[in-house]
Amino acid sequence: PETPGALLVLAHVADRTQQHAERERLLARARDIDPENTTIIVAQAQARFDQRDFEGTAGLVGEAMALDPESVDAHVMAGRLALVQG
């Protein structure tokens, strides 16, 4: 599959089966295809968050918000990050 949507679904499956490297690879491929897609960027942020890479999460959330300041998913991820970081 070479569409961002299909790659996002496969990344979700990889996440559910604990294949973290595959999840990251699929999300990176989706982003290569559609680099300004905030859904993909937030999914990458979620993957980084799950790996406790909070600096990487923050950078990706910032990118998503810069592209779409009204992105609910980006704001939710920013909130989750703030809760974890205190």
Side-chain angles (χ1 to χ4, degrees), residues 8-80:
L8 280 170
V9 170
L10 290 173
H12 178 72
V13 171
D15 175 46
R16 301 292 288 177
T17 57
Q18 303 295 309
Q19 298 176 32
H20 304 294
E22 181 67 2
R23 176 187 187 190
E24 292 276 355
R25 187 190 71 75
L26 290 163
L27 291 171
R29 179 68 190 123
R31 182 107 186 254
D32 287 343
I33 295 168
D34 192 357
E36 294 187 356
N37 184 319
T38 56
T39 300
I40 296 168
I41 298 169
V42 171
Q44 286 182 304
Q46 180 66 55
R48 298 279 173 87
F49 184 88
D50 292 346
Q51 296 300 312
R52 303 191 61 78
D53 174 4
F54 301 132
E55 186 174 316
T57 302
L60 288 163
V61 167
E63 287 182 49
M65 287 183 172
L67 288 168
D68 180 4
E70 297 179 15
S71 169
V72 172
D73 292 333
H75 283 278
V76 168
M77 181 57 61
R80 292 182 66 207

